[in-house]
Each structure stands twice: as structure tokens, then as C-alpha cells.
């Protein structure tokens, strides 16, 4: 098993935590901005759009990196159901990371809003105005946003479960810094 | 597994920790979403306050619900360049799209029952940039803050006569607007009205100098003034018929765009406070309305004239209204787009 990595590559670990922080911010900015009429609203929505589009770029890079480096195997003693759950949930997380920004952009295009990011960067519309498409994408962005948040919480709980209860080295595969004291990866 | 040198933490302790982290994140999320703060002024509450007892105007704007589309051009004369580097002020002609409207939540309101008239406008600047605005005819706004606007809507919907008295005691700035509403003459045409932006914005010019400004579209025809009763006799939809007829027979209609530049210390954060007389004004161009189209299939129907859609060179100021309006207009747009089936297109123009 000498070719199998024991940890995610540094770039993968960096991207994982950078994007995790940004995605958490996106959830909070999203629900915060739509529930306020305060002067913070325009800067919040500007940040939501800019960060969201940045995340779209990052996920593309992340997928390319993932295809290149692969992933370390899960512990051999992990029950098959848990392994399947882990794989499926990671797949879903990737799906959300790709789909959410696209829905956000699409919903603005379909409402004929100009999409302007920080620094006046403009994203040209790829969809014509349409009530129906706007409503569809709005609903998807709304409901999938909550589903994404729920899955991230589950993922967080699972990660902590590995780190604190199973102590099986899974957390160490993605941890930003190697921790001497913790566990060694699967052997 | 579990080759750690440290003594294993108690399973229960770890489980509690995990539950606390996940629960804490969920609670923070709920708090941010406003679910734990029913007192927060949300766009939903503002829309609820706008909704008449008879029900929401499904498929229509939640305010300024009655209106008619226009298209035309904005002709910039170049004078605005000294104030703002926005490309729209460079001498030239830019496509414009807009909507004449009445400040009511009833899309079928009788024209003579609605005091406030408005104009929504979108000017297309070069390479996809846009400038959107929504202006009204009173010279001052009714209240100082978005919260006060909400309170006004609540108070004016109440039946007790005391409600408005209490409101005015708390928001004395309302008196100026009320005076205008009571005494200002009624015109018989959208073309005869001035439309005021009221909100303050910051213009930045090529040198990086900033000025707080407000702008207005001033009519170029003499108003024909009538009493409210006289206007009522002309019919419930007179204004829409009149503007269509006027443009058909007399040709395009014009408004001069005038920006007023604040002196330091002028009240930029409060649209209910006019700036003192004699402030510098700059005529920056002319809006030319060339064509009228009914709203139902018209190009203005699906535009949100969100006043924070601004080109580079114009930005919001410390005036709290554009932000509040942007948030509420977005919600109004989401609702009416989802309800488009309640206000079906006639199907001749667009699906
Ligand atoms: C990882 C990516 C993203 C996540 C997790 C996310 C999440 C959210 C959430 C949770 C909301 C609040 C929904 C509600 O409570 O009503 C929201 C709203 C919104 N998002 Fe995103 N978003 C993402 C990307 C984007 C992008 C890229 C854009 C646009 C460029 C965008 C535009 C919007 C808009 C305009 C709203 C307000 C919708 C409305 O109510 O009209 N989002 N988003
Ligand atoms: C928005 C937040 C997050 C997202 C979208 C996310 C996404 C992902 C994805 C897609 C993977 C699979 C990597 C791959 O196989 O290519 C992964 C792995 C992992 N994540 Fe996260 N993550 C987030 C936050 C967190 C947090 C807060 C933790 C903390 C406990 C965490 C712990 C882990 C662990 C331990 C792994 C490794 C699993 C393995 O070895 O297969 N993640 N994450
Ligand atoms: C916090 C205060 C305000 C609230 C809550 C509010 C609410 C609304 C709403 C819900 C709409 C319908 C938007 C749509 O569906 O596209 C609207 C339209 C409009 N508002 Fe306001 N408004 C406020 C302040 C103002 C001010 C200060 C002005 C003028 C200076 C103004 C002028 C207009 C005009 C002209 C329209 C019609 C635009 C169009 O034709 O689409 N509003 N307003």
C-alpha cells in the first residue's frame, strides 16, 4: 500500500479548511442579509455574491486537485455502512459546492439583475429574464441552502466523532497541521 | 485505532462536546436568520405592513402596484462628468426603460385617489453596467427612517383616529409631507410631474473627489392643474390613457435631470429633510420617453428598480433608505415573480 496517501495533500487540506470557513460565512451572510433592511444589507449581499463566485472557482480547482491526488483510504475497521455514508456525503458536499453558486448566479440572471462583484467585476448574464426560471432557481437556492447547512452540520459531527470518539486518524488526514499527539493514520 | 498516548476522554464528555458544537452552530444560524428575534424589521414585516386588508396584489408590485411601461433614451450633456466618473454622464445617448406608477398597493386603484406618483428608471450604461432608480413627486419623503416608514404604514392602516396622532407625535417630520399631500395641486399627466430621488448618494469623479447629491427629473411642460374631484371625473385610468395618447400625438416627452450637490453638514441621511435653498445644481441630461407599453406584457414588468443598482462612480451614502428599499424590493420581486400566474401575460410578447 505504499502508493496510497496517508493524508490529503497540503493543497487539499488548505482548500478544505479555507472553503469550509467561507461556506460557513456564506450560510450566515445568506440568512442574515435576507432578514434585514439595515444599511448592512448592500455590503452583505455584495460579499455573498463575491464570496459565492470565488467559491465556485475554488471548487473547480479543488476537484481538479482531488482527481490528481486522490484521497487516503478510510480506516479498514470502519463499518461498511459508515464508509458508504462518508463517500455519499462527501459526494453530496461537492455537489452542493458546485450547485449553490450556480443557482445563486442563475437566479439573479433570470431576474435581470446585473451581477456586480467587489471591485466592479461584472458577470455577464447567461440566462434571459424569466419569472418561472427565477422562481425555480430561487426555491432551489433556498431549500438546498438549508439542506447544505444541515449536511455540513452532520459532516462536522462526523468529523468530531472521528477525532474525539473513534480517534481513528480520519481527522488527521484532513487536519491542517499534523498533530503529533493524536493518532497516526491508518496503517 | 485509539493509539493516542493520552488517557481517553470520556465518551460521554466527547458526545456532549459534539452536541454542543453542532447545537451552537445551529442556534447561531437561527439567530442570524432572525428566527429568535421577532422584533427585527425584516423585509417580510415591511411587506406585511404594505399589504392592504383586502389581501396582497398577487403578481404585482407590493407598492406602486399600478403602473405603465415606457422606453426611451437618456441624453447626457456631459456636465455630470465633473461630479461623477459614471460613464452615463459622458456626453451621449443611453437606452432607457422605465415605469410611470402610482404609490399604492392596489393595481386597480382609481388615479385620483392616489397622492404619490412615481417613476422607475433604468439606464443602460456601456458594457452591461446599469443605473436604476425609483423617484416620486413629493419634494420630501414622509419619514426619516425605514422603521418610521413601517410605523407609518401600521398607523395609517389602523381605524382609530388616535393612531395617526400618536404616530405624528413620535415622528414630527411627517408634518411636512402631510402638508404637501393636503395642499399640492393635482396635475392631469405623468408628463407634468417632477420626480424626486429624495435619497442621497455619493458621486465620485475621475479625480476621486466625492460629493453627496440628490437628483430629480423635472418636467418640461407646463402642468394643467385640477382639483382632485375634477381628476376623478376623467376616469379611473386617466393617467395611463393620457400619457399614451400624449406621446402618440405630441411625440416624445422630456424631463431634465438635475443633481443637487450638498454642502458639508447638509442632512444626507434623512430624505424627509430638504436641503437649504440655493445649493449648487447641475443639469446632467434629459430623459426622453418615446414609447408607452402596457405593463402586463411590457419590458418594465420584470424589472426591479432597485435604487442600489448603480454604475461605478455612484454609491450609496449614509441615507438608510436605499439599503432598506433594496432588501424590500428584492422580496417584492421574488413574490411577484412567483405569482406571475395570478397576473398572466396576454402571451403575445413573451412566454
Ligand atoms: C456556496 C455558495 C452559496 C451558499 C451556501 C449560499 C447560501 C445562501 C443562503 C443560505 C441564502 C438565504 C436564503 C434565505 O433564507 O432566503 C442565500 C440567499 C441568496 N443568495 Fe446565496 N449562496 C451561495 C452562493 C450564491 C451566489 C454565487 C450568489 C450570486 C452570485 C448568491 C446569491 C444569493 C441571493 C441573491 C440571495 C437572496 C435571494 C432572495 O431572497 O432573493 N448566492 N444564499
Ligand atoms: C462547509 C464546510 C465543509 C465542507 C463543504 C466540507 C467538505 C468536505 C469534503 C467534500 C470532504 C471529502 C474530501 C474528499 O474525499 O475529497 C471532506 C473531508 C473531511 N472533512 Fe470536511 N467539509 C467541511 C467542514 C468540515 C469541518 C468543520 C470538519 C471538522 C470536523 C470537517 C472534517 C472533515 C474530515 C475529518 C474529512 C476527512 C474525511 C476522509 O478522510 O475521508 N469538515 N470535507
Ligand atoms: C423603506 C421605505 C420604502 C419601502 C418599504 C418601499 C417599498 C416599495 C416596494 C415593495 C415597491 C415595489 C418594488 C417591486 O416589486 O419592484 C416599491 C416601489 C417603488 N417605490 Fe418604494 N419603498 C420605500 C421608499 C421609497 C422612496 C424613498 C421612494 C422615492 C424616493 C420610493 C419610490 C418607489 C417607486 C417610484 C416605486 C415603483 C418602482 C417601479 O415602477 O417598479 N420608495 N416601493
Amino acid at each position: 500500500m505504499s502508493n496510497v496517501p496517508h493524508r490529503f495533500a497540503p493543497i487539499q487540506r488548505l482548500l478544505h479548511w479555507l472553503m469550509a470557513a467561507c461556506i460557513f460565512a456564506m450560510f450566515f451572510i445568506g440568512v442574515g442579509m435576507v432578514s434585514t433592511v439595515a444599511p448592512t444589507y448592500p455590503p452583505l449581499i455584495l460579499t455573498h455574491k463575491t464570496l459565492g463566485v470565488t467559491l465556485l472557482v475554488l471548487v473547480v480547482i479543488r476537484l481538479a486537485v482531488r482527481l490528481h491526488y486522490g484521497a487516503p483510504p478510510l480506516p479498514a475497521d470502519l463499518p461498511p455502512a459508515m464508509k458508504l455514508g462518508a463517500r455519499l456525503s462527501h459526494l453530496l458536499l461537492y455537489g452542493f459546492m458546485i450547485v449553490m453558486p450556480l443557482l445563486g448566479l442563475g437566479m439573479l440572471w433570470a431576474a435581470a439583475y446585473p451581477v456586480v462583484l467587489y471591485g466592479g467585476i461584472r458577470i455577464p448574464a447567461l440566462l434571459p429574464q424569466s419569472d418561472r426560471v427565477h422562481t425555480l432557481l430561487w426555491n432551489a437556492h433556498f431549500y438546498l441552502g438549508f439542506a447544505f447547512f444541515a449536511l455540513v452540520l452532520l459532516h462536522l459531527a462526523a468529523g468530531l466523532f472521528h477525532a474525539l470518539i473513534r480517534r481513528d486518524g480520519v481527522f488527521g488526514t484532513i487536519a491542517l497541521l499534523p498533530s503529533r499527539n493524536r493518532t497516526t493514520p491508518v496503517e | 485505532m485509539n493509539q493516542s498516548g493520552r488517557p481517553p476522554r470520556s465518551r460521554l464528555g466527547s458526545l456532549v462536546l459534539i452536541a454542543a458544537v453542532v447545537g451552537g452552530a445551529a442556534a447561531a444560524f437561527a439567530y442570524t436568520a432572525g428566527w429568535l428575534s421577532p422584533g427585527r424589521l425584516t423585509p417580510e414585516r415591511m411587506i406585511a405592513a404594505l399589504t392592504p386588508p383586502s389581501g396582497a396584489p398577487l403578481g404585482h408590485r407590493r407598492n406602486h402596484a399600478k403602473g405603465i411601461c415606457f422606453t426611451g433614451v437618456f441624453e447626457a450633456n456631459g456636465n455630470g462628468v465633473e461630479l461623477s466618473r459614471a460613464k452615463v454622464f459622458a456626453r451621449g445617448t443611453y437606452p432607457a426603460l422605465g415605469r410611470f406608477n402610482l404609490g399604492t398597493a392596489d393595481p386597480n386603484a382609481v388615479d385620483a385617489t392616489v397622492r404619490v406618483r412615481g417613476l422607475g428608471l433604468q439606464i443602460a450604461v456601456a458594457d452591461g453596467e446599469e443605473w436604476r432608480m425609483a423617484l416620486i413627486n413629493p419634494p420630501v419623503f414622509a419619514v426619516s427612517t425605514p422603521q418610521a416608514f413601517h410605523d407609518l404604514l401600521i398607523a395609517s392602516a389602523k381605524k382609530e383616529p388616535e393612531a395617526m396622532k400618536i404616530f405624528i407625535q413620535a415622528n414630527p417630520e411627517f408634518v411636512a409631507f402631510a402638508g404637501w399631500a393636503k395642499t399640492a395641486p393635482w396635475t392631469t399627466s405623468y408628463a407634468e410631474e417632477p420626480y424626486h430621488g429624495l435619497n442621497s448618494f455619493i458621486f465620485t469623479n475621475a479625480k476621486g473627489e466625492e460629493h453627496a447629491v440628490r437628483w430629480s427629473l423635472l418636467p418640461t411642460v407646463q402642468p394643467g392643474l385640477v382639483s382632485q374631484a375634477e381628476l376623478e371625473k376623467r376616469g379611473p385610468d386617466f393617467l395611463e390613457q393620457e400619457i399614451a395618447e400624449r406621446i402618440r400625438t405630441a411625440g416624445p416627452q422630456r424631463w431634465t435631470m438635475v443633481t443637487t450637490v450638498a454642502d458639508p453638514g447638509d442632512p444626507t441621511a434623512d430624505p424627509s429633510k430638504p436641503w437649504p435653498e440655493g445649493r449648487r445644481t447641475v443639469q446632467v441630461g434629459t430623459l426622453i420617453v418615446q414609447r408607452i407599453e402596457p405593463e402586463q406584457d411590457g419590458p418594465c414588468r420584470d424589472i426591479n428598480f432597485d435604487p442600489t443598482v448603480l454604475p461605478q462612480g455612484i454609491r450609496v451614502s449614509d441615507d438608510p433608505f436605499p439599503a432598506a428599499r433594496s432588501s424590500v424590493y428584492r422580496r417584492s420581486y421574488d413574490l411577484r415573480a412567483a405569482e406571475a400566474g395570478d397576473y398572466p401575460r396576454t402571451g403575445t410578447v413573451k412566454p
Side-chain angles (χ1 to χ4, degrees), chain A residues 108-141:
Chain A
L108 292 175
W109 291 336
Y113 293 113
V115 181
V116 184
L117 311 180
Y118 268 122
I121 300 168
R122 273 192 306 281
I123 309 229
L126 300 182
L127 292 177
Q129 197 286 330
S130 157
D131 294 337
R132 226 173 299 153
V133 173
H134 170 74
T135 304
L136 185 77
L137 300 183
W138 186 93
N139 277 315
H141 194 78

Coordinates of all heavy atoms in Angstrom, one line a residue, chain A residues 108-141:
Chain A
L108 N -30.2 35.4 -10.2 CA -30.0 36.8 -10.4 C -30.1 37.1 -11.9 O -30.8 38.1 -12.3 CB -28.7 37.3 -9.9 CG -28.5 37.3 -8.4 CD1 -27.1 37.7 -8.0 CD2 -29.5 38.2 -7.8
W109 N -29.5 36.3 -12.8 CA -29.7 36.5 -14.2 C -31.2 36.4 -14.6 O -31.6 37.3 -15.4 CB -28.9 35.3 -15.0 CG -27.5 35.4 -14.8 CD1 -26.7 36.5 -14.6 CD2 -26.5 34.3 -15.0 NE1 -25.4 36.2 -14.5 CE2 -25.2 34.9 -14.8 CE3 -26.6 33.0 -15.2 CZ2 -24.1 34.1 -14.8 CZ3 -25.5 32.2 -15.3 CH2 -24.2 32.7 -15.1
A110 N -31.9 35.4 -14.1 CA -33.3 35.2 -14.5 C -34.2 36.4 -14.0 O -35.3 36.5 -14.4 CB -33.8 33.9 -14.0
A111 N -33.6 37.2 -13.1 CA -34.4 38.3 -12.6 C -33.9 39.6 -13.2 O -34.3 40.7 -12.8 CB -34.3 38.4 -11.1
A112 N -33.0 39.5 -14.2 CA -32.5 40.6 -15.0 C -31.7 41.6 -14.1 O -31.7 42.8 -14.3 CB -33.6 41.4 -15.7
Y113 N -31.1 41.1 -13.0 CA -30.3 42.0 -12.2 C -28.9 41.9 -12.8 O -28.4 40.8 -13.1 CB -30.1 41.4 -10.7 CG -31.3 41.5 -9.9 CD1 -31.9 40.3 -9.4 CD2 -31.9 42.7 -9.4 CE1 -33.0 40.3 -8.6 CE2 -33.0 42.7 -8.6 CZ -33.6 41.5 -8.2 OH -34.6 41.5 -7.4
P114 N -28.2 43.0 -12.9 CA -26.8 42.9 -13.2 C -26.0 42.3 -12.1 O -26.3 42.6 -10.9 CB -26.4 44.4 -13.4 CG -27.4 45.2 -12.7 CD -28.6 44.4 -12.6
V115 N -25.1 41.4 -12.4 CA -24.3 40.7 -11.3 C -23.0 41.4 -11.2 O -22.2 41.3 -12.1 CB -24.1 39.2 -11.5 CG1 -23.3 38.6 -10.4 CG2 -25.5 38.5 -11.7
V116 N -22.8 42.2 -10.2 CA -21.6 43.0 -10.0 C -21.0 42.6 -8.7 O -21.6 42.6 -7.6 CB -21.9 44.5 -10.0 CG1 -20.6 45.3 -9.9 CG2 -22.7 44.9 -11.2
L117 N -19.7 42.3 -8.7 CA -19.0 41.8 -7.6 C -18.1 42.9 -7.0 O -18.0 44.0 -7.6 CB -18.1 40.6 -7.9 CG -18.8 39.5 -8.6 CD1 -17.9 38.3 -8.9 CD2 -20.0 39.0 -7.9
Y118 N -17.3 42.6 -6.0 CA -16.3 43.6 -5.5 C -15.5 44.1 -6.6 O -15.1 43.4 -7.5 CB -15.4 42.9 -4.5 CG -15.9 43.0 -3.0 CD1 -16.1 41.9 -2.3 CD2 -16.1 44.3 -2.4 CE1 -16.6 41.9 -1.0 CE2 -16.6 44.3 -1.1 CZ -16.8 43.2 -0.4 OH -17.2 43.3 0.9
G119 N -15.1 45.4 -6.5 CA -14.2 45.9 -7.5 C -14.9 46.2 -8.8 O -14.3 46.4 -9.8
G120 N -16.3 46.1 -8.8 CA -17.0 46.4 -10.1 C -16.9 45.3 -11.1 O -17.3 45.5 -12.3
I121 N -16.4 44.1 -10.7 CA -16.4 43.0 -11.7 C -17.8 42.6 -12.1 O -18.6 42.3 -11.2 CB -15.6 41.8 -11.0 CG1 -14.2 42.2 -10.6 CG2 -15.6 40.6 -12.0 CD1 -13.5 41.1 -9.7
R122 N -18.0 42.5 -13.4 CA -19.4 42.2 -13.8 C -19.4 40.8 -14.5 O -18.5 40.5 -15.3 CB -19.9 43.2 -14.8 CG -20.5 44.4 -14.2 CD -21.3 45.2 -15.2 NE -20.4 45.6 -16.3 CZ -19.5 46.6 -16.2 NH1 -19.4 47.3 -15.1 NH2 -18.7 46.9 -17.3
I123 N -20.4 40.0 -14.1 CA -20.5 38.7 -14.7 C -21.7 38.8 -15.7 O -22.8 39.1 -15.3 CB -20.9 37.7 -13.6 CG1 -19.8 37.8 -12.5 CG2 -20.9 36.3 -14.2 CD1 -19.2 36.6 -12.0
P124 N -21.4 38.6 -17.0 CA -22.5 38.7 -18.0 C -23.5 37.6 -17.8 O -23.3 36.5 -17.3 CB -21.8 38.5 -19.3 CG -20.5 37.9 -19.0 CD -20.1 38.2 -17.6
A125 N -24.8 38.0 -18.1 CA -25.9 37.0 -17.9 C -25.9 35.9 -18.9 O -25.7 36.2 -20.1 CB -27.2 37.8 -18.0
L126 N -26.1 34.7 -18.5 CA -26.1 33.6 -19.4 C -27.5 33.1 -19.5 O -27.8 32.1 -20.2 CB -25.2 32.5 -18.9 CG -23.7 32.8 -18.8 CD1 -22.9 31.6 -18.4 CD2 -23.2 33.4 -20.1
L127 N -28.5 33.7 -18.8 CA -29.9 33.3 -18.9 C -30.7 34.6 -19.2 O -30.4 35.6 -18.7 CB -30.4 32.7 -17.6 CG -29.8 31.4 -17.1 CD1 -30.4 31.0 -15.8 CD2 -30.2 30.3 -18.1
P128 N -31.8 34.4 -20.0 CA -32.7 35.6 -20.2 C -33.6 35.7 -19.0 O -33.8 34.8 -18.2 CB -33.5 35.2 -21.4 CG -33.5 33.7 -21.4 CD -32.2 33.3 -20.8
Q129 N -34.2 36.9 -18.8 CA -35.2 37.1 -17.7 C -36.3 36.1 -17.9 O -36.8 35.9 -19.0 CB -35.7 38.5 -17.8 CG -36.4 39.0 -16.5 CD -37.8 38.4 -16.3 OE1 -38.4 38.1 -17.3 NE2 -38.1 38.2 -15.1
S130 N -36.7 35.5 -16.8 CA -37.9 34.6 -16.8 C -38.4 34.4 -15.4 O -37.7 34.0 -14.5 CB -37.5 33.3 -17.4 OG -38.4 32.3 -17.0
D131 N -39.7 34.8 -15.2 CA -40.3 34.6 -13.9 C -40.2 33.2 -13.4 O -39.9 32.9 -12.2 CB -41.8 34.9 -13.9 CG -42.1 36.4 -14.2 OD1 -41.2 37.2 -14.0 OD2 -43.2 36.7 -14.7
R132 N -40.5 32.3 -14.3 CA -40.6 30.9 -13.9 C -39.2 30.3 -13.5 O -39.0 29.7 -12.5 CB -41.1 30.0 -15.1 CG -42.2 29.1 -14.6 CD -42.9 28.4 -15.7 NE -43.6 29.3 -16.6 CZ -43.9 29.1 -17.9 NH1 -43.4 28.0 -18.4 NH2 -44.5 30.0 -18.6
V133 N -38.2 30.7 -14.4 CA -36.8 30.2 -14.1 C -36.3 30.8 -12.8 O -35.8 30.2 -11.9 CB -35.9 30.5 -15.2 CG1 -34.5 30.2 -14.9 CG2 -36.3 29.7 -16.5
H134 N -36.6 32.1 -12.6 CA -36.2 32.8 -11.4 C -36.8 32.1 -10.2 O -36.1 31.8 -9.2 CB -36.6 34.3 -11.4 CG -36.4 34.9 -10.0 ND1 -35.2 35.3 -9.6 CD2 -37.3 35.2 -9.1 CE1 -35.3 35.8 -8.4 NE2 -36.6 35.8 -8.0
T135 N -38.1 31.8 -10.2 CA -38.7 31.2 -9.1 C -38.2 29.8 -8.8 O -37.9 29.4 -7.6 CB -40.3 31.1 -9.3 OG1 -40.7 32.5 -9.6 CG2 -41.0 30.6 -8.1
L136 N -38.0 29.1 -9.9 CA -37.4 27.7 -9.7 C -36.0 27.8 -9.0 O -35.8 27.1 -8.1 CB -37.3 27.1 -11.1 CG -36.9 25.6 -11.1 CD1 -38.0 24.7 -10.7 CD2 -36.4 25.2 -12.5
L137 N -35.2 28.6 -9.6 CA -33.8 28.7 -9.0 C -33.8 29.3 -7.6 O -33.0 28.9 -6.8 CB -32.9 29.5 -10.0 CG -32.8 29.0 -11.4 CD1 -31.8 29.8 -12.2 CD2 -32.4 27.5 -11.4
W138 N -34.7 30.2 -7.4 CA -34.8 30.8 -6.1 C -35.1 29.7 -5.1 O -34.5 29.6 -4.0 CB -35.8 31.9 -6.0 CG -35.9 32.7 -4.7 CD1 -35.2 33.8 -4.4 CD2 -36.6 32.3 -3.5 NE1 -35.5 34.2 -3.1 CE2 -36.3 33.3 -2.6 CE3 -37.5 31.2 -3.2 CZ2 -36.8 33.2 -1.3 CZ3 -38.0 31.2 -1.9 CH2 -37.7 32.2 -1.0
N139 N -36.2 29.0 -5.4 CA -36.6 27.9 -4.5 C -35.5 26.9 -4.3 O -35.2 26.5 -3.1 CB -37.8 27.2 -5.0 CG -39.1 27.9 -4.7 OD1 -39.3 28.3 -3.6 ND2 -39.9 28.1 -5.7
A140 N -34.8 26.6 -5.3 CA -33.7 25.6 -5.2 C -32.6 26.2 -4.3 O -32.0 25.5 -3.4 CB -33.1 25.2 -6.6
H141 N -32.2 27.4 -4.5 CA -31.1 28.0 -3.7 C -31.5 28.1 -2.3 O -30.7 27.9 -1.4 CB -30.8 29.5 -4.3 CG -29.6 30.1 -3.8 ND1 -28.4 29.8 -4.3 CD2 -29.4 31.1 -2.9 CE1 -27.4 30.5 -3.7 NE2 -28.0 31.3 -2.8

